[in-house]
Amino acid sequence: MTTPALERPPRPAPRHRASDLLAAYLPGSFFYSSTRGALLADGVHATVPTGSGPRATAVAEALEAARAAGVRDPLVVGALGFGPDAESCLVVPAVVRRADPLGAAPPAEPGPAESLQGWAVRQRPAPEEYEAGVRRALALIDDGGLRKVVLARCLELTARQEVPVPALLRRLARANPTAHAFAVDVTAPGDPATRTLVGASPELLVSRRGSEVVANPLAGSLPRVPGTSAEAEAENRRRVAALRTSDKDRREHALVAAQVGEVLGRFCSDLHVPAEPEVVGTPTMWHLSSRITGRLSDGPAVSSLALAEALHPTPAVCGVPVPEARAVIADLEPVDRGYFTGLVGWTGPDGDGEWVVTIRSAEVSERTVRLFAGAGIVEGSQPAAELAETSAKFRTLLRAIGMEDE
C-alpha cells in the first residue's frame, strides 16, 4: 500500500561532493570545509543582530525563530572580528548544502596566479618598524606584568584588475586540504564594494558534537623549507626536532594550552590536555600543537559559539594577560586587525558546530587584498626571527595569488 504523502517520513538532506560545493562557490556565499565536512550556504533568511558583547544568545534566538518560520535544520554561519567591539557578520542562510570532507585534493589549479600580474605592495609597518615593535614588547615583558603578546603586520596588495575570489578560494582549499578553508561575505553597510574574508586556517578554536568538545591550539612555530629535495627534507627534520626542544617555543605553547584548558574546564568534565605538544605541519609552517578534548558537564547545554566566545582570544593570537596584551597590540600595530585573528564558523540549533581562528586569511575587495600575519613575543624572542616567522606565514596567501612559487 502506498503511504499517504502526509505520513511519509522526511527525506534526508542530500549529500554533495565537497569539490562540487567548492566549484559552485560565488562571492556572497559562505563556504567552509574541514576534516569534519564541507558546507556551502547561499541567500539570507535572517541577519543576526551583532551588537557588542557575546553573540551566542542572539544566535540561539535567531535559530529558534528560523525553526518556527519553517526553516529546516537552520544554521548560523559567519565571522566575528578580533576586538570585543569589532564588526561581525552572522546570518541564517536560506539554503545550505553539505558534503563530506574534501580529503586528498588534486593539485591547485592555476586561477589567479595566471591572470594577475603587476602587484603593488605596501607593508604596514615596514620590516624595520616591526622589529622595533618587537623590541618594545620585549622591554614591556622584562618590566613584568606582560608575559606574551602577539604582534601582527599587514600587507596591502593592489592588482591591475579585480581579484577572482572563487579561484583564490579553490587554490587555498586544494593546496591546504587538511586546513579549514573558508570564504565569508563581510561587506558592511556603507561599504563601497563587496568584501570577502577568505583563508585556510590551520587552527581549530573549538568544535562541539553532542557533548564532545575538541580544541586544537597552535603556538610556537618555525618556517617550513619548501621543496622535496633530500636537502629540504633533511632541514625540515632538523627544524621539527629543534621546535620540539625549543625552550622559548615550548613556553609560548604552554601559555596557550593552559589557558584553553582552564576555560574549557569551566564547562567540561573528563578534560584531557596533553602533557607534551606535537609538531604539525602546513605547506609553509611547522607548529607546536595540542589537541584538547572534553565532555560537557551538563550535557549539550552550551553551544559551540558560546564556547568559542569564552575562549576568544586565546594567547595564540593575543597574549597574556589579555587586557595588557590588547593594549600593547592597539599601541604597536598601525592597522586595525578587523577579522584577522577573529572567528569563522557555524553553529546549529542543537548547539553543535565548529569555529576556527581566522589566520592565514585575507580580506579581498575588487582589486585589493589585505592580509596579516603575526608572531608570539615572549621572553627570549628575537626580532629578526619573529619578522621571518610572519614572512613565512604570509606565504600561504602569497602562493595562492601567484606572488610566490609553490
Side-chain angles (χ1 to χ4, degrees):
M1 180 177 9
T2 303
T3 304
L6 293 178
E7 297 178 11
R8 290 175 185 161
R11 295 179 180 178
R15 299 291 291 191
H16 303 267
R17 292 192 307 172
S19 57
D20 291 338
L21 299 189
L22 186 59
Y25 166 81
L26 291 173
S29 301
F30 174 89
F31 179 86
Y32 179 91
S33 70
S34 72
T35 55
R36 182 169 173 172
L39 66 87
L40 178 66
D42 288 290
V44 177
H45 169 78
T47 299
V48 180
T50 53
S52 60
R55 278 80 168 190
T57 299
V59 163
E61 292 172 351
L63 288 167
E64 183 59 33
R67 279 209 292 199
V71 178
R72 180 182 173 185
D73 191 23
L75 295 181
V76 164
V77 303
L80 304 179
F82 168 70
D85 298 318
E87 61 183 322
S88 59
C89 179
L90 296 169
V91 302
V92 180
V95 178
V96 176
R97 288 176 281 175
R98 295 177 178 272
D100 293 328
L102 278 169
E109 64 181 47
E114 287 190 349
S115 60
L116 298 181
Q117 303 294 331
W119 289 92
V121 182
R122 182 184 182 193
Q123 301 187 61
R124 301 181 64 191
E128 62 274 12
E129 294 171 349
Y130 181 81
E131 291 189 5
V134 173
R135 286 190 288 271
R136 288 178 61 189
L138 287 169
L140 293 171
I141 291 171
D142 288 343
D143 289 342
L146 182 68
R147 299 177 65 191
K148 174 183 176 178
V149 62
V150 177
L151 292 184
R153 63 189 186 104
C154 173
L155 295 184
E156 294 180 346
L157 315 177
T158 305
R160 292 174 183 169
Q161 64 264 65
E162 188 167 328
V163 178
V165 175
L168 175 57
L169 173 64
R170 289 194 295 271
R171 288 178 62 86
L172 284 168
R174 288 172 168 167
N176 303 271
T178 62
H180 306 80
F182 56 85
V184 192
D185 184 351
V186 292
T187 309
D191 281 349
T194 300
R195 283 193 300 143
T196 304
L197 179 68
V198 59
S201 174
E203 185 164 4
L204 172 66
L205 179 63
V206 67
S207 173
R208 207 208 82 172
R209 184 177 295 181
S211 61
E212 299 296 324
V213 174
V214 179
N216 194 181
L218 308 179
S221 307
L222 279 176
R224 184 173 192 154
V225 178
T228 58
S229 67
E231 293 80 4
E233 292 181 356
E235 176 60 18
N236 279 319
R237 287 193 296 270
R238 188 196 69 78
R239 293 189 181 193
V240 168
L243 190 57
R244 283 199 177 102
T245 58
S246 167
D247 176 68
K248 175 260 180 187
D249 290 291
R250 289 175 66 89
R251 283 188 289 108
E252 180 184 348
H253 186 85
L255 287 172
V256 180
Q259 190 260 5
V260 171
E262 188 276 326
V263 172
L264 290 183
R266 304 171 199 167
F267 306 97
C268 294
S269 59
D270 300 324
L271 188 70
H272 174 66
V273 181
E276 293 285 328
E278 299 178 339
V279 176
V280 298
T282 74
T284 60
M285 297 295 299
W286 299 108
H287 298 286
L288 291 179
S289 164
S290 289
R291 188 175 187 272
I292 298 172
T293 59
R295 183 180 296 275
L296 292 175
S297 302
D298 299 322
V302 59
S303 73
S304 60
L305 180 57
L307 291 169
E309 290 189 291
L311 287 165
H312 178 68
T314 74
V317 297
C318 184
V320 180
V322 168
E324 287 79 358
R326 281 195 189 277
V328 172
I329 289 169
D331 182 44
L332 296 183
E333 293 185 4
V335 182
D336 184 271
R337 292 185 180 187
Y339 285 99
F340 173 67
T341 61
L343 317 177
V344 167
W346 61 273
T347 193
D350 57 0
D352 281 4
E354 191 167 83
W355 296 87
V356 298
V357 184
T358 50
I359 55 177
R360 312 299 190 274
S361 63
E363 285 190 24
V364 182
S365 181
E366 296 184 333
R367 297 187 302 116
T368 64
V369 179
R370 189 175 75 158
L371 53 150
F372 291 83
I377 314 304
V378 296
E379 182 182 359
S381 291
Q382 299 296 320
E386 306 304 333
L387 176 66
E389 180 176 322
T390 62
S391 297
K393 289 174 177 176
F394 279 133
R395 286 165 49 200
T396 297
L397 269 296
L398 294 178
R399 285 180 176 183
I401 63 176
M403 290 187 66
E404 182 174 306
D405 293 335
E406 299 284 349

